[in-house]
Amino acid sequence: MRRRPLPTAEEALEILKRRRTRPQRRPPPPAGKSLAPLIKQLDEKFGQGPAVLKARWREIVGETLARRTEPVRVIKSRTGEGGTLELRVDGPVASLIQHQAPQITQRLDLLLGKGTVTKLRIVQGPVKAPAAPVAVASRRKPPLDAAQERDLADSLASQPDGGLKDALLKLGRGVLRDPR
């Protein structure tokens, strides 16, 4: 038996040109693209849950109650009518929530849609600390008066214009507004 000789470089190129190669594997599509329709269907069927409420809870119940309560979950009724919002409440605030239940459900109707939540279920327990409140324009410190602004500008007049001078002006304004 005689062995066949190996092809030369030119012959090898010809052989490779004639052979078909396998197509490259494509990466899978992004998960979000295929999950988006499913999530949309689940939202329509079961609602968005307490995450939407937690984000806007302070607007719904007010600052005082938001510190002492938190929404836990929305329980759908078996009949398809209005659901129940389960609230975790800190101690004696439960009686206050019971008295304000009609107003809270009205505000929930505005946010979630009419009849989404018809009852409140109150569970006493520890409440997580709420997120820091958003700064309100009325809580901002007033600007410097003209004399203070002029004195600050005069003290930095010898500095060259640029980022450092702007940063020093900003720092100076902050220090002069709140001289703790």
Side-chain angles (χ1 to χ4, degrees):
M1 274 204 317
R2 204 171 126 202
R3 290 187 144 199
R4 196 170 87 183
L6 292 175
T8 63
E10 293 83 25
E11 292 173 338
L13 284 173
E14 277 300 316
I15 292 169
L16 289 176
K17 284 180 185 176
R18 284 182 281 157
R19 289 190 173 214
R20 287 187 167 176
T21 60
R22 289 186 179 169
Q24 284 186 331
R25 289 191 61 196
R26 284 186 275 165
K33 187 175 183 179
S34 54
L35 287 178
L38 176 66
I39 291 173
K40 188 174 182 178
Q41 288 175 351
L42 290 173
D43 275 349
E44 290 172 1
K45 185 174 183 180
F46 298 108
Q48 295 178 344
V52 174
L53 294 176
K54 285 180 183 179
R56 303 190 66 188
W57 190 241
R58 183 173 278 115
E59 295 173 33
I60 295 169
V61 295
E63 188 74 33
T64 306
L65 288 179
R67 279 187 259 126
R68 312 277 316 262
T69 62
E70 70 176 332
V72 178
R73 63 184 175 154
V74 178
I75 305 166
K76 289 283 189 170
S77 76
R78 292 182 180 167
T79 60
E81 296 171 9
T84 303
L85 174 64
E86 186 175 303
L87 291 175
R88 185 174 295 125
V89 177
D90 186 23
V93 178
S95 61
L96 187 60
I97 293 294
Q98 284 179 334
H99 289 292
Q100 291 189 0
Q103 290 89 0
I104 293 172
T105 54
Q106 284 177 351
R107 292 178 187 152
L108 288 169
D109 284 345
L110 292 173
L111 179 67
L112 301 174
K114 184 85 172 144
T116 304
V117 174
T118 56
K119 298 179 198 171
L120 298 179
R121 179 174 177 233
I122 299 169
V123 178
Q124 289 187 345
V127 176
K128 295 177 187 172
V134 178
V136 180
S138 63
R139 293 183 187 168
R140 290 186 185 155
K141 295 174 184 160
L144 298 178
D145 63 7
Q148 288 177 320
E149 188 71 38
R150 186 185 62 241
D151 291 342
L152 182 61
D154 289 344
S155 67
L156 294 172
S158 62
Q159 295 295 321
D161 289 338
L164 178 62
K165 186 173 183 177
D166 295 338
L168 288 172
L169 278 169
K170 186 176 179 180
L171 176 67
R173 288 182 186 119
V175 169
L176 290 172
R177 282 188 201 132
D178 192 16
R180 286 187 219 179

